Amino acid sequence: MESNSRDGFSSKIGVIAAAAGSAIGLGNIWRFPYIIGDNGGGAFLIVYLLCVLTLGIPIMIGEFALGRISRVNAIATFRKLAPKSIFSIVGYIGLLSAFCILSFYGVVAGWCFSYILKSLSGAFNNLTPDKADLIFNNLVSGGFEPIFWQVAFMFLTGFIVLFGIKNGIEKYSKILMPLLFIIIIILDIRALTLANANDGLSFLFKFDFSKITLNTIFMALGQAFFSLSVGMGTMITYGSYISKKENLLTTSLNVAFADTLVAVLAGIAIFPAVFTFNIDPSSGAGLAFISLPMVFSKMFMGNIFACLFFILLLVAGLTSSISILEVIVAFLCEDFNISRKKVTILTTVVVSLSGVICSLSNGFMKINLFNQSYMDFLNYLSSNFLLPLGAILISVFLGYYFDKKLFVKELTNDGEIKLPFEKLLFFLFKFFIPFIISIIFLQNLNIIKL
Ligand code: PFF
């Protein structure tokens, strides 16, 4: 794509729908509830909110601004703004993260297709815990079925990205995001009218500070990164398509607010049901795919609600996966001057192949890297290593290397709007974020043990 006719978002609502679409994903509806379930409910929620405020939002603001200054993809951004410096590596880390995340993301999103069909066909009627477990394990360790759905999901992602920003990502996000809100509100209303809804709500909102451990903080930090889509250049890429008129600060706050709201709404949809039907809230990653079908099977019109839930998960996954694919596509299009169509098809095929290996590694074949399945390895490498690394570098870059005046000028739209908390923002970039992420990082690498 020539730079003089560069595609971009056409409206404020389009920017918010697309960026919130990126942030709101499997991370909110599948990952957040089981992590909060594993980490004692309300105690986790408050730590998570603090992480979003002090860590996620500043990095998001920084990424948006860098993208809008450079007006190029994430890799070229650092080449342009920090030529011949170590920071160029940030873009490549982002590219690798995008490849890793998308590979396993498509697999999980693909399972939703299968679960939508299963709920419609009545496979979840009179479900017992053993049967729920069996259905899930048969699916994930199967050969053809999960691969078929993963590839279908990846091609759906590629189909949207093919049309570019205005006519692809923006257009579909504006349709899919309201749909997502409608579905989650229907599910919430249903959940809140269940018998033991109060127990579920008090699990979610009762802040028992004695339950906060170091592990809670680490989990909350990782979840905040993943959920807000920061640390890998997604928001740099989206920022490069945002018009100079938009207020980047309020955009970031809106996106973070919507992301957190959906995570909490997902919790409200899930925990009242979990408590009403005596499911263990700490049943881990299977919460959505094993416990929830059981919950739905015990509900009046449960098949319909199950189907709605997995459509919700699929829609949320789709608006995130397009943002991840766009990181790779924007780079290849712009740096190698190849058409968007060719690049999108090629990237979709390559990522799908990696997704096939992920899917097979879940039990059908033994495909291990560093003593874990290929899928678990990509998940670990991206969330625990690449995203924190990207975020710490972006933070140090903004705190110490990049011209502060230029950054402030971008955030204030050339002095037209105010930038409150400027000092706080730079304190976070310079000291707080590098310090906190270093600790998570060292802990995850087992270099320190706190
Ligand atoms: N934020 C997405 C989610 O919560 O599912 C996942 C994600 C999207 C992570 C884009 C990183 C990213 F760049």
Side-chain angles (χ1 to χ4, degrees):
M1 184 155 313
E2 304 86 31
S3 49
N4 57 359
S5 62
R6 203 164 184 270
D7 198 0
F9 294 115
S10 66
S11 63
K12 186 189 177 86
I13 193 80
V15 172
I16 295 184
S22 169
I24 299 167
L26 302 178
N28 303 59
I29 301 162
W30 162 66
R31 203 166 184 267
F32 180 80
Y34 86 73
I35 289 192
I36 204 170
D38 279 347
N39 287 280
F44 179 88
L45 185 61
I46 195 122
V47 180
Y48 176 77
L49 293 178
L50 285 174
C51 292
V52 168
L53 275 177
T54 58
L55 215 104
I57 293 176
I59 301 266
M60 190 186 288
I61 295 170
E63 285 202 23
F64 275 145
L66 289 175
R68 200 171 66 170
I69 293 169
S70 72
R71 288 265 175 249
V72 280
N73 64 78
I75 283 139
T77 292
F78 288 94
R79 216 176 33 230
K80 195 167 170 181
L81 304 182
K84 297 203 179 84
S85 79
I86 175 82
F87 292 104
S88 305
I89 200 179
V90 180
Y92 292 99
I93 294 173
L95 200 65
L96 185 62
S97 314
F99 178 79
C100 295
I101 295 180
L102 203 49
S103 301
F104 72 81
Y105 211 79
V107 177
V108 179
W111 297 340
C112 298
F113 276 121
S114 172
Y115 268 59
I116 291 169
L117 294 183
K118 283 185 178 30
S119 41
L120 289 178
S121 71
F124 299 140
N125 292 345
N126 305 320
L127 207 56
T128 58
D130 286 349
K131 199 171 149 202
D133 216 47
L134 195 71
I135 291 178
F136 180 65
N137 285 317
N138 277 348
L139 172 68
V140 302
S141 63
F144 180 72
E145 194 191 348
I147 291 178
F148 176 80
W149 293 124
Q150 183 268 136
V151 173
F153 177 81
M154 281 312 305
F155 276 81
L156 199 56
T157 304
F159 174 79
I160 296 178
V161 171
L162 200 71
F163 290 97
I165 306 306
K166 206 180 291 119
N167 300 322
I169 292 179
E170 178 174 353
K171 182 172 146 193
Y172 287 94
S173 299
K174 282 203 301 210
I175 302 169
L176 294 174
M177 291 314 285
L179 179 69
L180 183 141
F181 272 97
I182 293 171
I183 298 179
I184 203 160
I185 286 167
I186 296 175
L187 288 170
D188 276 350
I189 294 172
R190 181 67 194 96
L192 289 172
T193 48
L194 289 170
N196 291 355
N198 279 343
D199 293 346
L201 292 181
S202 69
F203 175 78
L204 191 59
F205 294 116
K206 208 167 135 218
F207 303 126
D208 179 355
F209 288 99
S210 68
K211 284 193 178 150
I212 298 178
T213 62
L214 207 65
N215 195 48
T216 320
I217 302 172
F218 290 138
M219 293 305 288
L221 278 166
Q223 175 63 19
F225 272 134
F226 188 82
S227 189
L228 291 173
S229 307
V230 293
M232 56 166 262
T234 305
M235 295 308 183
I236 297 181
T237 310
Y238 272 15
S240 75
Y241 300 124
I242 298 180
S243 118
K244 288 281 181 193
K245 296 193 306 276
E246 303 303 342
N247 183 334
L248 295 180
L249 190 73
T250 52
T251 304
S252 309
L253 293 175
N254 284 332
V255 171
F257 176 74
D259 186 62
T260 310
L261 180 69
V262 171
V264 172
L265 289 178
I268 296 178
I270 290 173
F271 289 110
V274 163
F275 278 83
T276 301
F277 299 110
N278 281 327
I279 308 276
D280 180 7
S282 60
S283 38
L287 193 65
F289 290 96
I290 300 175
S291 306
L292 281 181
M294 274 181 58
V295 168
F296 291 126
S297 88
K298 293 180 186 170
M299 247 182 211
F300 175 61
M301 296 212 316
N303 284 349
I304 306 287
F305 288 105
C307 177
L308 274 181
F309 179 81
F310 290 106
I311 292 176
L312 172 72
L313 209 51
L314 188 69
V315 167
L318 189 60
T319 51
S320 298
S321 63
I322 52 181
S323 73
I324 310 175
L325 185 61
E326 179 60 25
V327 172
I328 310 176
V329 167
F331 162 63
L332 294 175
C333 273
E334 292 174 354
D335 279 31
F336 295 92
N337 215 358
I338 317 174
S339 76
R340 171 172 279 269
K341 191 172 163 195
K342 275 194 198 137
V343 165
T344 308
I345 295 173
L346 183 82
T347 316
T348 305
V349 170
V350 173
V351 175
S352 300
L353 287 177
S354 171
V356 168
I357 304 174
C358 274
S359 185
L360 291 174
S361 77
N362 281 327
F364 192 78
M365 274 184 193
K366 193 167 164 31
I367 306 171
N368 280 4
L369 275 178
F370 298 98
N371 284 332
Q372 34 187 343
S373 72
Y374 179 69
M375 175 144 154
D376 288 344
F377 175 72
L378 293 192
N379 192 349
Y380 178 83
L381 180 73
S382 51
S383 310
N384 297 334
F385 185 74
L386 297 174
L387 291 188
L389 185 62
I392 201 170
L393 287 170
I394 292 170
S395 182
V396 169
F397 176 71
L398 290 168
Y400 296 96
Y401 185 96
F402 192 59
D403 184 352
K404 187 175 164 184
K405 279 204 195 97
L406 202 62
F407 182 69
V408 173
K409 190 168 167 250
E410 191 62 37
L411 285 180
T412 57
N413 293 1
D414 286 336
E416 271 177 31
I417 46 179
K418 280 215 170 72
L419 176 61
F421 313 117
E422 183 185 321
K423 282 211 171 77
L424 176 65
L425 195 60
F426 278 92
F427 167 78
L428 295 172
F429 286 143
K430 279 189 157 157
F431 306 108
F432 185 77
I433 298 175
F435 175 73
I436 298 285
I437 300 178
S438 303
I439 293 184
I440 320 174
F441 205 47
L442 296 173
Q443 168 88 9
N444 279 331
L445 287 175
N446 279 331
I447 295 175
I448 55 166
K449 262 264 162 283
L450 294 175

